[in-house]
Amino acid sequence: MAADNAIFVGNKPFMNYVTAVVMQFTTQDAEEVTIKARGKFISRAVDVAEIAAKRFLNGQIYVDDIKIDSEEFENKEGKQVRVSTIEITLKKK
Amino acid sequence: MAADNAIFVGNKPFMNYVTAVVMQFTTQDAEEVTIKARGKFISRAVDVAEIAAKRFLNGQIYVDDIKIDSEEFENKEGKQVRVSTIEITLKKK
């Protein structure tokens, strides 16, 4: 199995991410897929997981685990900034 | 114990929610607090949980469980709409 079937959710069109998740499970035959996002894209990552699991692959995958965390980094002005992160792991039933 | 120490995150000032969570654990002596949000406020709910757990009550509480789900409802135009939801349960160590 591939070490890490991760989809990073950002500001591309919403359906790109849903399609990417669905393709991993179907054409790539992945056992699990992790959806990752930071900051304001966290809400979107949850939408991607819900739409993939309930509309496209209903009854075929489930939410196995959800982790939240924080990342600290230095912004352009040299100021220390904190951003929240999420990792949603979907698994084949 | 109170049946449900729930904080609903919306568009009030961010620190209101962090303070509400911290107060539940301190002055109200709650064993657990659930942070709930829908749609675009999901990212904010994760921020509230992270700031409460890592900045204000670091080492005293932990993320016990995270659930995501969808709610369907009819909007003003009579159209069926889906919105994602999150519930983050924080627990005293």
Side-chain angles (χ1 to χ4, degrees):
Chain A
M1 193 190 101
D4 194 5
N5 300 310
I7 312 279
F8 289 86
V9 174
N11 54 16
K12 285 188 205 159
F14 181 73
M15 282 308 295
N16 287 25
Y17 302 110
V18 177
T19 307
V21 171
V22 173
M23 296 268 284
Q24 285 282 344
F25 280 113
T26 55
T27 64
Q28 299 303 117
D29 206 31
E31 280 303 309
E32 67 176 61
V33 174
T34 303
I35 301 168
K36 301 183 181 189
R38 310 199 313 170
K40 65 175 178 175
F41 295 115
I42 287 175
S43 305
R44 240 176 164 214
V46 174
D47 286 337
V48 170
E50 284 291 307
I51 297 284
K54 299 205 171 136
R55 197 163 298 169
F56 288 87
L57 297 169
N58 194 14
Q60 297 170 63
I61 61 170
Y62 64 98
V63 176
D64 182 53
D65 192 32
I66 306 173
K67 286 194 187 83
I68 61 172
D69 204 352
S70 298
E71 276 177 23
E72 301 255 359
F73 63 95
E74 209 169 86
N75 70 5
K76 283 174 249 169
E77 288 78 39
K79 208 183 146 196
Q80 209 66 18
V81 177
R82 192 205 61 82
V83 66
S84 299
T85 64
I86 197 166
E87 289 190 20
I88 304 167
T89 303
L90 300 172
K91 241 184 187 148
K92 203 169 265 180
K93 272 186 184 168
Chain B
M1 196 190 99
D4 194 4
N5 300 310
I7 311 280
F8 289 86
V9 174
N11 53 17
K12 285 188 207 159
F14 180 73
M15 282 308 295
N16 287 24
Y17 302 109
V18 177
T19 307
V21 171
V22 173
M23 296 269 283
Q24 285 282 345
F25 280 113
T26 53
T27 64
Q28 299 302 117
D29 207 31
E31 280 303 310
E32 66 176 61
V33 174
T34 303
I35 301 168
K36 300 183 181 189
R38 310 200 313 171
K40 66 175 177 174
F41 296 114
I42 288 176
S43 305
R44 236 171 168 218
V46 173
D47 285 337
V48 170
E50 284 291 307
I51 297 286
K54 299 206 170 133
R55 198 163 297 169
F56 288 87
L57 297 169
N58 194 13
Q60 297 169 64
I61 62 170
Y62 65 98
V63 176
D64 182 52
D65 193 32
I66 306 173
K67 286 193 188 83
I68 61 172
D69 204 351
S70 298
E71 276 176 25
E72 301 256 359
F73 63 97
E74 210 169 84
N75 70 5
K76 283 175 251 169
E77 289 79 36
K79 209 184 146 196
Q80 209 65 19
V81 177
R82 193 206 60 82
V83 66
S84 299
T85 63
I86 197 165
E87 289 190 19
I88 304 167
T89 303
L90 300 173
K91 241 184 187 148
K92 204 169 262 179
K93 273 187 184 168

